Amino acid sequence: MTTTDTDTPSIDKAGSRSWLREHSELGVGLLLFALGVLVLTDALTMTVDLAQRGPVGPRTVPVVVGTGLLVVAVLLAVDVLRGGRGESEGGEDVDLSEPSDWRTVLLLAGVFLGFAVLIGPVGFPVSGALLFWGAAYALGSRHLHRDPLIAAGLSLLTYVVFNNLLGVPLPGGPLMGVL
């Protein structure tokens, strides 16, 4: 059987797909590299008033984290190209033949989007309670009387800890005067 020039691209395409599947960890390395470049760029272009900084300035941690991301990305890429493969966990209970559960993914995405939209107008305690309850519902919990109470308690506890104990201000919304 003879091959023509039109068969070659399909063979190359199939071969490149196979190579990419075998080296899929390079995508993680590329993502880490991009994050490292982003963090370093932001850190090095940050304007810092010399009078406000101490012995360790505000650039130190981002530079260390960005450099660490770049180093890990390069080491991961070298390992993958030398034939290294990540080992799957022995106790992992995932059936790869089953399709993805897009309903759960979309419900969780909607819950996070709703939280982001509502945190400004209604504050963290209310939007956080909706986030916790919505995430529990999306992940399969169907205790309709217990889950909202637990979500409200977690949200209020989180608000009090961050706002009052740690000094990290969270938007209180209409409950600002009550809490």
Side-chain angles (χ1 to χ4, degrees):
M1 180 174 181
T2 61
T3 59
T4 63
D5 289 335
T6 58
D7 292 338
T8 305
S10 65
I11 293 171
D12 290 342
K13 191 182 238 185
S16 65
R17 281 187 190 152
S18 174
W19 187 87
L20 285 174
R21 269 200 192 116
E22 292 173 8
H23 298 89
S24 61
E25 290 95 346
L26 288 175
V28 175
L30 184 63
L31 178 67
L32 291 175
F33 190 83
L35 283 173
V37 168
L38 177 68
V39 169
L40 279 176
T41 302
D42 282 348
L44 296 176
T45 58
M46 182 186 307
T47 56
V48 178
D49 186 13
L50 291 177
Q52 290 182 342
R53 71 179 199 105
V56 177
R59 291 183 181 165
T60 305
V61 172
V63 167
V64 169
V65 169
T67 305
L69 284 168
L70 292 177
V71 168
V72 168
V74 169
L75 291 175
L76 178 63
V78 168
D79 182 51
V80 169
L81 292 174
R82 287 185 176 172
R85 301 274 307 168
E87 294 181 23
S88 60
E89 293 182 28
E92 197 169 317
D93 188 24
V94 176
D95 186 6
L96 296 177
S97 65
E98 290 292 320
S100 298
D101 185 8
W102 288 107
R103 179 182 179 273
T104 301
V105 171
L106 292 175
L107 279 172
L108 282 173
V111 166
F112 287 124
L113 182 62
F115 173 74
V117 169
L118 291 174
I119 194 168
V122 300
F124 183 85
V126 174
S127 62
L130 292 173
L131 170 73
F132 294 144
W133 176 76
Y137 183 84
L139 294 172
S141 180
R142 297 296 184 260
H143 297 281
L144 298 178
H145 299 295
R146 182 185 66 186
D147 288 347
L149 294 175
I150 293 173
L154 277 174
S155 183
L156 286 173
L157 179 68
T158 304
Y159 178 78
V160 168
V161 166
F162 275 85
N163 200 53
N164 298 345
L165 299 178
L166 297 176
V168 177
L170 294 175
L175 299 176
M176 184 64 92
V178 177
L179 298 175

